[in-house]
Amino acid sequence: MNPAIPNRQRRLKIRKGGVNSKINLLSLGCPRNLVDSQTLAARLKLKGAKFARCAEKADTVIINTCAFIKEAKEESIDVILDAIELKKQGRIKKIILSGCLTQRYPQELIKEFKEIDAIVGRLQLDDSVNSFSLTPKHYSYLKICEGCFNTCSFCVIPKIKGGFKSRSIDSILEEARLLDKKNILELNIIGQDITSFGLDVAAKPLLAQLLSAILKETKNIKWVRLLYLNPLRIDNDLIELIKENKRVCKYIDLPIQHASDRILRLMNRKITKDKIYSLIKRLRSQIPDVAIRTSVIVGFPSESEAEFKELLDFVEEIKFERLGAFIYSREEDTEAHDFSGQIPESVKCKRLDILMRQQQEIAQGYNASLLNKDMEVLIEEYKDNIYIGRSQSDAPEVDGCVFVKSKEKLDIGEIVKAKITQTYEYDLLGEKIPS
């Protein structure tokens, strides 16, 4: 078996998908993949397709796979095996694969899984406006670009997604207006690197210009969130726009990946620790109450104990409000795959544990600073006699949540004000402030 196709134990997991009957669409991986799934569903719907909420009620299961890192590939294989088991039991008739895993390993998948009926690659980004949604009614994702310019040595995205491409501003604004008419409260603008938007068609990034146009063209959308901002291309225009407009979430998604200059060079990140530090200092000084989310990689090839300690010290000094950490995943077709000094898995896992224990304390301290403060909360769920929502500082399905007690009935998708009465490591508890 190809090493990219792990021999995983076959487990049955029925996952939620589309709506109504016949086709069950499973979307794995990141929100960008979810947008692709929405586009695929919209095209199928135009051809008369119907959808089922679970695989057991469908004739055909379509799995939109992910292949970004080892764990994503393993999850995709698990879900494929589950679907194959359902097919063997006669509970579904066809299995179709799409997305990143099929883009990377089409022949291996065809050879390994004889039960698969069809394989298609990734969807090409175009200027079509999508009206199909797989998200809750109160928020949505808007993809503005595809691919990547950055050629980080550890990343396989350019191999899967191809070169960077921006959508046209007209098509983006048309989709934003459509979502606004649907009373979407939160618009999450996404792409592999949205700060590169426009670089393929203009001499400079156009994200600030695009964001300004979206804000002018919409009125019902209350929160606009920017997901993935490359530290190389955050300019003063963008900072000023985030600062001045109340509808733009004071949330900066800023993956730094590491804090050692040598490791950053090996990663081909084209930035230094000092420049990262200066940018964060500027963001915090110019945008009051900003929440900065970052992601870092531990166990990159040849990362020494001293360089890992340098990363720990940097994280401790900066005290990121939100942080996600990943073990380095050695991916074929990347430059770093052939680097010397590959770190043993046990060492990578130990370093991840140390970092996340440190971040847990940092996050707990940040949340403690919010005690007795008032904040807006977007209500998303009601469970066990308490409402569950998110603040502007929490991206959907990524960050923590805010539990809200309320004597009055609240609507799902409503934004309310709550006073924080208790804090935890990653979550908050508050009471709704009477209207």
Side-chain angles (χ1 to χ4, degrees):
M1 179 179 286
N2 187 292
I5 312 294
N7 184 16
R8 304 288 291 166
Q9 180 183 3
R10 299 185 177 218
R11 297 178 296 151
L12 182 62
K13 295 184 289 186
I14 308 294
R15 297 179 177 225
K16 292 183 179 180
V19 293
N20 296 330
S21 65
K22 294 301 180 184
I23 293 176
N24 179 232
L25 176 58
L26 305 177
S27 187
L28 307 178
C30 66
R32 296 180 293 275
N33 222 32
L34 181 65
V35 172
D36 290 345
S37 296
Q38 292 178 163
T39 301
L40 177 59
R43 293 175 183 177
L44 291 171
K45 188 176 181 181
L46 286 174
K47 295 182 178 181
K50 302 293 183 181
F51 295 88
R53 289 189 179 277
C54 66
E56 288 183 315
K57 296 182 180 180
D59 297 316
T60 299
V61 170
I62 300 176
I63 305 170
N64 191 16
T65 59
C66 180
F68 180 47
I69 56 176
K70 175 185 174 183
E71 289 77 11
K73 288 185 285 188
E74 289 177 348
E75 182 187 26
S76 294
I77 296 301
D78 279 345
V79 175
I80 292 169
L81 292 172
D82 295 339
I84 288 173
E85 188 65 29
L86 290 176
K87 187 177 182 181
K88 287 181 176 180
Q89 295 171 9
R91 295 155 76 183
I92 61 174
K93 296 178 181 178
K94 292 184 178 181
I95 302 171
I96 299 173
L97 305 183
S98 67
C100 296
L101 193 70
T102 64
Q103 188 74 20
R104 288 193 75 184
Y105 310 111
Q107 297 305 317
E108 292 91 337
L109 290 167
I110 291 170
K111 180 180 179 180
E112 189 65 34
F113 302 118
K114 305 298 183 183
E115 300 88 348
I116 301 302
D117 295 279
I119 289 179
V120 295
R122 65 179 175 88
L123 293 179
Q124 297 291 333
L125 181 74
D126 58 30
D127 289 333
S128 60
V129 175
N130 181 29
S131 59
F132 196 99
S133 177
L134 292 172
T135 57
K137 294 181 179 180
H138 54 274
Y139 75 83
S140 187
Y141 295 103
L142 177 57
K143 185 191 282 191
I144 65 171
C145 56
E146 190 69 277
C148 193
F149 277 133
N150 298 316
T151 62
C152 298
S153 66
F154 56 83
C155 185
V156 77
I157 284 176
K159 300 288 185 180
I160 299 175
K161 297 292 189 179
F164 185 86
K165 180 183 178 182
S166 302
R167 278 181 67 181
S168 72
I169 290 180
D170 287 345
S171 71
I172 294 170
L173 293 180
E174 184 180 352
E175 189 164 327
R177 287 190 292 265
L178 177 64
L179 293 170
D180 193 57
K181 288 179 181 178
K182 291 183 175 182
N183 292 314
I184 293 291
L185 291 182
E186 178 183 14
L187 182 65
N188 296 278
I189 298 176
I190 62 171
Q192 264 75 35
D193 173 12
I194 63 173
T195 48
S196 291
F197 177 78
L199 274 177
D200 52 330
V201 294
K204 63 177 183 178
L206 301 177
L207 180 59
Q209 177 183 325
L210 174 66
L211 180 58
S212 179
I214 289 174
L215 293 169
K216 289 178 182 177
E217 293 287 329
T218 60
K219 59 180 180 179
N220 297 315
I221 295 169
K222 304 300 182 186
W223 294 356
V224 178
R225 189 184 304 276
L226 306 175
L227 294 179
Y228 193 97
L229 302 174
N230 190 297
L232 285 170
R233 285 182 281 274
I234 296 181
D235 56 29
N236 290 329
D237 289 343
L238 184 60
I239 294 174
E240 187 68 18
L241 196 55
I242 296 171
K243 172 188 174 182
E244 294 298 329
N245 199 292
K246 293 181 179 179
R247 295 167 60 199
V248 180
C249 294
K250 307 303 179 276
Y251 178 97
I252 306 295
D253 181 19
L254 186 78
I256 64 166
Q257 309 306 358
H258 214 279
S260 158
D261 284 342
R262 188 185 75 88
I263 296 295
L264 287 169
R265 284 195 300 272
L266 285 175
M267 289 179 166
N268 198 30
R269 291 294 289 174
K270 304 179 181 71
I271 198 168
T272 64
K273 179 173 73 172
D274 285 346
K275 288 183 178 179
I276 293 171
Y277 183 88
S278 296
L279 173 61
I280 293 170
K281 185 176 180 181
R282 183 154 53 103
L283 290 170
R284 285 182 167 161
S285 66
Q286 295 187 33
I287 306 174
D289 299 321
V290 67
I292 299 177
R293 158 167 278 280
T294 197
S295 64
V296 297
I297 295 172
V298 298
F300 191 79
S302 76
E303 178 192 56
S304 67
E305 287 292 340
E307 287 165 332
F308 173 63
K309 178 67 163 53
E310 187 176 4
L311 174 62
L312 286 177
D313 291 344
F314 188 77
V315 170
E316 178 65 34
E317 180 180 4
I318 295 297
K319 290 184 166 45
F320 292 98
E321 287 80 8
R322 307 283 185 260
L323 181 142
F326 300 89
I327 288 174
Y328 166 71
S329 179
R330 190 181 186 186
E331 297 298 319
E332 316 94 273
D333 301 322
T334 64
E335 185 182 358
H337 179 273
D338 298 322
F339 284 176
S340 61
Q342 298 288 332
I343 306 296
E345 201 69 19
S346 59
V347 175
K348 291 191 282 188
C349 290
K350 181 181 178 181
R351 290 177 182 177
L352 177 68
D353 183 63
I354 292 170
L355 176 60
M356 292 314 296
R357 286 178 183 273
Q358 174 180 287
Q359 179 59 27
Q360 186 178 43
E361 294 183 4
I362 293 170
Q364 188 170 17
Y366 168 69
N367 277 356
S369 71
L370 302 175
L371 187 64
N372 296 321
K373 290 192 175 182
D374 299 345
M375 66 172 54
E376 287 189 335
V377 181
L378 175 56
I379 302 299
E380 297 195 290
E381 189 179 355
Y382 181 71
K383 186 177 181 180
D384 299 330
N385 297 317
I386 197 165
Y387 291 95
I388 306 172
R390 291 182 290 110
S391 72
Q392 278 200 22
S393 300
D394 303 300
E397 299 187 19
V398 174
D399 299 311
C401 61
V402 183
F403 297 94
V404 178
K405 294 180 179 179
S406 177
K407 295 180 180 178
E408 57 187 280
K409 184 179 180 300
L410 305 179
D411 294 326
I412 303 302
E414 178 183 3
I415 294 177
V416 302
K417 277 197 173 182
K419 178 180 287 295
I420 302 305
T421 57
Q422 195 166 342
T423 66
Y424 309 97
E425 288 92 344
Y426 298 111
D427 303 320
L428 302 169
L429 173 66
E431 293 184 2
K432 181 186 179 299
I433 299 172
S435 303

